Amino acid sequence: MKTMLAIISNALCRITGRSAGEQTVSELLIGLSEFVNLTSPPAAAAVPPQARRLPPKPPPAGGAAQLVSSRTDQTDRPGARVVASRSLSDFTPQATFDIKKCDVHRLEAGPPVRAELTREQGLQYYRTMQTVRRMELKADQLYKQKIIRGFCHLYDGQEACAAGIEAAINPSDHLITAYRAHGYTFTRGVSIREILAELTGRRGGVAKGKGGSMHMYAPHFYGGNGIVGAQVPLGAGIALACQYQGNNQICVTLYGDGAANQGQLFETFNMAALWKLPCIFVCENNKYGMGTSVERASASTDYYKRGDFIPGLRVDGMDVLCVREAAKFAADHCRAGKVSEALLLLLLPLG
Amino acid sequence: MAASLRCFLRSGKVGTFLVILKLFPSDCRLVTVRDALNQAMDEELERDERVFLLGEEVAQYDGAYKVSRGLWKKYGDKRIIDTPISEMGFAGIAVGAAMAGLRPICEFMTFNFSMQAIDQVINSAAKTYYMSAGLQPVPIVFRGPNGASAGVAAQHSQCFAAWYAHCPGLKVVSPWNSEDARGLLKAAIRDDNPVVFLENELLYGVPFEMSDESQSKDFTIPIGKAKVERQGSHVTLVSHSRFVGHCLDAAAVLAKEGVDCEVINLRTIRPMDVECIEGSVMKTNHLVTVEGGWPQFGVGAEICARIMEGPAFNFLDAPVTRVTGVDIPMPYAKILEENSLPQVKDIIFSVKKTLNV
């Protein structure tokens, strides 16, 4: 195994031109992905001439240049599997995307309909979401093997919410969520190792194995709460503390479509609006509250309107940029003290 | 002298209070439990910016039972917060504020209403420090009147000492006199753990002597330590809150008959000072517990179990007797209500039964 890894890493080093000792195999592969593009011959033939990737100008780091030029003449041969190329996208620092317009409730205008994304941000959001996805799928596997016991509420499919919200707030802001918390535990700064160790009940876990899936904490992250809806008053309390201390921080309080029917939420909305607490209430609607579909549980499924006197936005939760822009809009709203807080609804279509 | 004074006071005649004031030497001040609690909160609010009070009617109304009189005028809206009638909501908000670094005092108008919020007290406050392996402390105090009042009937008369004391992660204290109230409330506010502070509405207006050292701004009573209110040698009476007074009255009556009672004021229900009780039982060999709550799974039951499990069991000359509230929802009619709670005569009867006299 070790020798195989050594062989692979040496080969990768030769391709990418980096020295062997510096990096791990995975880092080399990631580095390689910047240079290499896997294409199959039929697809290459179907690409129209103007869209075909041209051999790039030599990149600033001289080493890879010879490799690039020496390999491109092999693309048209049948069986050619690897094409080394760099395209225009590698040199574009940012792009602007059109995003879905959010439905609004008690607001004159919603968040902007165009979002700017820099290359670094794009890669960062992608890495975050992909990491959460892999972690959750692994947790799923471990749960089925009974290595994770009790409850294991998975977040795969909803990663864009976590990534988008984290992109919109500061690390000094606060966040609290319900039991579907692994994604947020990661975005709030806990390492994958600590999360998986906690899930498997190990001492190296973020709560030393004493908390489990639903009770993971970090600075400015208050879990992980097992009782449906109980985290919402807690979140408003955290917002009260922010207001009390005058530190211009906000609290993002998440709950699900099932918790949206809990009475304590409405008690909280009342006090949050009354006292103008800097709190963003986010409903992650995945269309099922435990096992019951929203139509069977809620008289009104317009969750973004159910804050009544609290302004609301209906946001496409599958689009990380939409989530980011909406969360940023809500956060600015809270911080400006214009209105107390905003209610976001994130729609998450299943499947 | 002190016992008869208390009997006098409990009869509730205001005129007698003024007479007694003249009888007492001036260096020993009389302070009601209400004023002691008020002063304690005032001093703690002044001492630490992070302390604040929230609850129903605590601000502009000066407190439902006037315990927070004058505090809103002094500290304002930021630190004394009137809440809507939403126990679950505001208890959760208080717990969240504690998690984020403040030190709230959450007042329940009575602990009966804390049942609406009990999930926040137990699952959000009590368990969090453990579940987070020490990452997330919750320095909160839940306070309010507990147990029977006068004529408020079944839904407003329950004693929650046993319910809260059952839960790991909570500290539960139950003061009796003004000195207890002041010292324990200060200790509770300074404690980094969630503390349930069980007051008693009928004691609010009762004045007690307070020593000079208890007037210090840093006077605290350690949580987890009981106090022997009266030394004795024949039987140990253990109680908390209002019934400590009843025990002392019973002890005074029994003293005339030659029975010497030792009266222990628990002060803290959880963690219970079992060593104090054991030490006393090893001296007197007889134990009677007195409480206002229901008998099943109550404070007295816990004391019995702990005595059995410890060294004091071998010193008992008779089984422990529990004097408790009657196992029924509290009735309304005065005669029924009086007979649903431990009276002095019940304590005397139990002591005589235990001692076989």
Side-chain angles (χ1 to χ4, degrees), chain A residues 76-103:
Chain A
D76 299 323
R77 288 203 210 137
R81 300 286 305 180
V82 170
V83 174
S85 72
R86 296 186 75 183
S87 71
L88 197 62
S89 65
D90 298 322
F91 299 103
T92 310
Q94 64 186 55
T96 310
F97 294 89
D98 290 326
I99 52 177
K100 250 192 217 160
K101 189 170 188 303
C102 296
D103 294 336

Side-chain angles (χ1 to χ4, degrees), chain A residues 206-208 210-211 215 217 222 227 230 233-234 236-238 240-241 244-245 262 264 267-268 270-271 274-275 277, chain B residues 49 51 78-79 81-82 84 86 88-90 92-93 95-97 99-100 102 119-120 123 128 131-133 135-136:
Chain A
V206 58
K208 298 185 188 159
K210 293 183 183 180
H215 307 296
Y217 297 81
Y222 302 85
I227 306 296
L234 296 182
I238 295 162
L240 176 75
Y244 189 101
Q245 291 163 335
Q262 272 268 316
Q264 52 188 322
E267 294 187 13
T268 305
N270 179 42
M271 285 184 271
L274 207 54
W275 301 332
L277 300 179
Chain B
E49 259 292 302
V51 177
K78 180 181 170 191
R79 303 190 66 196
I81 303 175
D82 270 339
S86 319
M88 201 166 186
F90 72 71
I93 284 179
V95 174
M99 288 182 178
L102 300 182
D119 175 68
Q120 297 289 357
N123 280 319
T128 297
M131 289 195 302
S132 66
L135 287 175
Q136 183 61 72

Side-chain angles (χ1 to χ4, degrees), chain B residues 180-220:
Chain B
D180 290 353
R182 179 183 168 80
L184 287 173
L185 185 55
K186 279 172 161 298
I189 293 169
R190 295 181 192 197
D191 198 313
D192 289 335
N193 295 293
V195 180
V196 171
F197 192 88
L198 303 171
E199 302 161 5
N200 190 295
E201 202 235 313
L202 295 171
L203 287 175
Y204 281 150
V206 179
F208 291 95
E209 312 158 18
M210 286 188 80
S211 61
D212 283 332
E213 60 139 7
S214 70
Q215 296 310 302
S216 149
K217 288 212 163 120
D218 284 319
F219 170 71
T220 57

Side-chain angles (χ1 to χ4, degrees), chain B residues 268-349:
Chain B
T268 304
I269 315 289
R270 182 178 181 118
M272 194 183 291
D273 190 355
V274 191
E275 285 81 29
C276 180
I277 306 173
E278 282 174 346
S280 176
V281 168
M282 291 198 272
K283 187 174 66 168
T284 65
N285 309 125
H286 298 85
L287 178 58
V288 173
T289 69
V290 184
E291 64 186 295
W294 293 317
Q296 291 196 41
F297 306 92
V299 176
E302 176 65 16
I303 294 173
C304 289
R306 297 276 269 265
I307 291 293
M308 269 210 305
E309 289 164 1
F313 175 69
N314 294 313
F315 289 78
L316 280 174
D317 287 347
V320 179
T321 307
R322 297 179 289 168
V323 181
T324 69
V326 177
D327 196 22
I328 54 169
M330 182 66 68
Y332 165 68
K334 188 160 198 280
I335 187 73
L336 292 177
E337 185 182 42
E338 276 170 7
N339 285 287
S340 303
L341 290 166
Q343 299 172 77
V344 177
K345 63 177 167 75
D346 298 321
I347 302 172
I348 294 170
F349 177 80

